[in-house]
Amino acid sequence: NKYIAMLLYMVRVLNASLRRETGYLFESGGQKNKKDLKSDRENKRKETKIPLDCVKERKITSEWFAWIPALLVVAVIFVFSSQPGDVSKETSGNLTKYLLEIMGIWEEESIYAPTVDVEATDVLVRMLVHMAEYAGLSLTVGFAVTVSGVRGKLRFIYMVILGLFVALADEFYQIFVPGRYGDLADVVFDSVGVTGVAFIVFFMGRL
């Protein structure tokens, strides 16, 4: 009986100590959780600043890279404009003949070759090339400003103004190239390509 009473007493003491310990752990754990929540919030605030900075840097980088296609088109335009007059005429003439051969309406050695006015066709081809060049420029400018967050009428204005600026600068530059001269008719053809694409992008953006 004495041993049983002693055993029951030890069980009671152990049970009481376990209750006190459990209650302490629960209370301290609750306090610790509050501190953890507070520290977690502070850490999240600190962590959110880093991704936001990274996003801003990436956005700025993407905005700069978005102008690369437009700059490449401008480079191509001025490379062709840098050709002397005789070289430019020969290049466009060869292109015209090549296109006519593809369409099957002209051959170098054919007896029907004289019936085709190559020079008049060359003028048409040069006009279409001008329009195509500046249509590509307008499209790439539209892409660049779209990446920068510009939409609607403002995007249209950017596309037209920058395209016409490059067209005027190109014709002014040709004044200093041997055998070349600035031609306002080319500016008109360039503006058709620029504004045509700008209108298409503008109306597609409203759909």
Side-chain angles (χ1 to χ4, degrees):
N1 293 331
K2 187 183 293 187
Y3 292 108
I4 294 173
M6 188 179 295
L7 183 60
L8 290 174
Y9 175 75
M10 292 177 63
V11 169
R12 289 175 183 173
V13 172
L14 182 61
N15 189 22
S17 62
L18 285 173
R19 286 180 180 178
R20 287 195 301 270
E21 187 68 23
T22 304
Y24 172 75
L25 287 173
F26 177 79
E27 291 176 0
S28 62
Q31 294 175 357
K32 188 176 181 182
N33 287 334
K34 290 179 182 178
K35 292 180 181 179
D36 288 341
L37 288 173
K38 188 175 181 181
S39 61
D40 288 341
R41 289 173 184 171
E42 293 177 355
N43 291 330
K44 285 181 180 179
R45 289 175 184 173
K46 293 179 181 179
E47 289 174 359
T48 51
K49 292 181 181 178
I50 298 174
L52 286 175
D53 293 338
C54 293
V55 169
K56 289 180 181 178
E57 291 177 1
R58 290 177 182 176
K59 184 178 180 181
I60 294 172
T61 303
S62 62
E63 289 176 359
W64 280 104
F65 276 107
W67 285 97
I68 291 178
L71 294 175
L72 290 176
V73 175
V74 172
V76 170
I77 290 172
F78 277 88
V79 165
F80 282 108
S81 296
S82 299
Q83 293 179 339
D86 54 347
V87 176
S88 177
K89 189 173 182 180
E90 181 181 358
T91 302
S92 62
N94 291 333
L95 176 61
T96 301
K97 292 176 182 179
Y98 176 73
L99 293 175
L100 291 174
E101 287 180 0
I102 290 177
M103 292 184 290
I105 58 177
W106 189 87
E107 293 181 10
E108 187 79 33
E109 304 297 333
S110 175
I111 60 174
Y112 301 104
T115 61
V116 179
D117 192 345
V118 178
E119 291 187 0
T121 309
D122 182 51
V123 173
L124 176 62
V125 169
R126 291 175 72 92
M127 179 186 70
L128 294 176
V129 169
H130 271 274
M131 292 172 62
E133 285 178 339
Y134 282 85
L137 176 62
S138 182
L139 185 63
T140 52
V141 169
F143 168 74
V145 296
T146 300
V147 172
S148 300
V150 179
R151 301 286 194 282
K153 294 181 180 179
L154 187 58
R155 177 172 57 186
F156 176 84
I157 293 172
Y158 269 110
M159 294 171 69
V160 173
I161 290 179
L162 290 177
L164 294 179
F165 174 78
V166 174
L168 291 171
D170 180 35
E171 295 304 319
F172 178 76
Y173 170 72
Q174 292 182 42
I175 297 174
F176 305 98
V177 179
R180 304 293 292 272
Y181 58 91
D183 192 354
L184 291 178
D186 289 343
V187 176
V188 173
F189 299 142
D190 300 339
S191 63
V192 171
V194 169
T195 55
V197 172
F199 271 116
I200 292 172
V201 173
F202 177 74
F203 285 109
M204 287 184 65
R206 297 180 63 180
L207 296 177

